[in-house]
Amino acid sequence: MEEDSWQRILKRSLKSPEEIAHFFDLDPEKVKKIARNFRVQITPYYAELIKAKGDALYRQVVPDPAELEEADGAADPLSEDEDSPVPSIVHRYPDRVLFLVSHLCASYCRFCTRKRKVGDLSQIHPRHIEDGIDYIRAHSEVRDVIISGGDPLMLGDRRLEHILKLLREIPHVEILRLGTRMPCYLPQRITPELAAMLKKYHPLYVNVHFNHPDEITEESARALSLLADAGIPLGNQTVLLKGVNDDPAVMKKLMQKLLTVRVRPYYIYQADCVKGTAHFRTTVEKGIEIMQALRGWTSGMAVPYYVIDAPGGGGKIPIVPNYLHSVSDEQLVLRNYAGELFVYPQVRPKKERRQRIVPCAAAPPQS
Ligand SMILES: *Cc1c(COP(=O)(O)O)cnc(C)c1O
Ligand code: SF4
């Protein structure tokens, strides 16, 4: 494959409101209005995968008038800007940072958590990259850098390599991670040249983003295989979305299919409270139902963490179905994946005994 062929495909993306409206038979005025709020773009490759108006792939990328109707939700639901010492860095956890290096994506997800910044050059600007590197260099506690955006693979190989090289020169940076949706939106971006370049900067992890089994095509499998063959461990992040994957059977198929292309499911995110995305949000009970339909019913490798990124900047909090039925001094009563109860005998030193059975839900905080 020629080096610039992905760029040529990208150029043929559906971009202008007129094109989008024409392609999907929508009102151009409405599309124009929505595009003013959040950029619209769909690669020809992904547009081709859409089979019907309103299907799971359509809903992710085609602008919906519902985006304008909702008054609730925040521009910055995770309060990332409060944890942002320089514009390109979000430093929330003790030992790792998010490093935003590109404002562009190949296609724009209508539910994007970072839509206040993504698609906007003034928000994520190349001149901020240097400040980000300086920040990481000055903070020796940062041992893990998550390169994100936007999509970092919107940068050309040379620009990206420059950043990777600078990061690798910082002694306290132990691991690099790269978050990208390219294997899903524009798998042609993953070239042998890119894989050979990335390979030089190990230990490097790549987290991809697939939300539906139909997104895993022959082309995306080829892209992922190039990365995996370069020794890059692959993880996947999925957003739980109404009308896309809020169905245990769909989610199970997605997780199983990811393993067949050597991608280990990492997170399922409860949809964030982003302004203009309420039509995508499910209940948390739906997420718990999905997790219960995975654990035990399929490979443990196929079971990611289900997390809520707490509004206000609390970070990712895991939500786990309750498998602990009750606890006493002598025993735990456990519920297995199929709902059957089992007893695990417990050994507890006498002085710690509480002498009563405490149902888990009502268990008092232990001091
Ligand atoms: C998700 C996230 C990370 C990485 O979290 P892990 O659980 O280590 O994958 C780091 N910083 C921010 C701000 C994040 O949102
Ligand atoms: S690819 Fe990621 S950053 Fe880009 S629009 Fe989608 S969710 Fe947002």
Side-chain angles (χ1 to χ4, degrees), residues 38 104-105 107-109 111-114 118 149-151 181 185 209:
F38 183 51
L104 296 171
C105 296
S107 306
Y108 292 96
C109 313
F111 50 86
C112 180
T113 292
R114 227 167 273 140
V118 166
D151 198 315
R181 219 184 162 180
Y185 279 151
H209 175 174

Side-chain angles (χ1 to χ4, degrees), residues 80 90 92-93 96-98 144 146 177 266-267 269 309 316:
E80 287 189 333
V90 183
R92 162 155 308 153
Y93 295 104
R96 54 207 188 279
V97 296
L98 247 157
D144 175 4
I146 299 141
R177 294 196 252 174
Y266 182 42
Y267 282 136
Y269 289 102
D309 216 332
K316 298 176 182 72

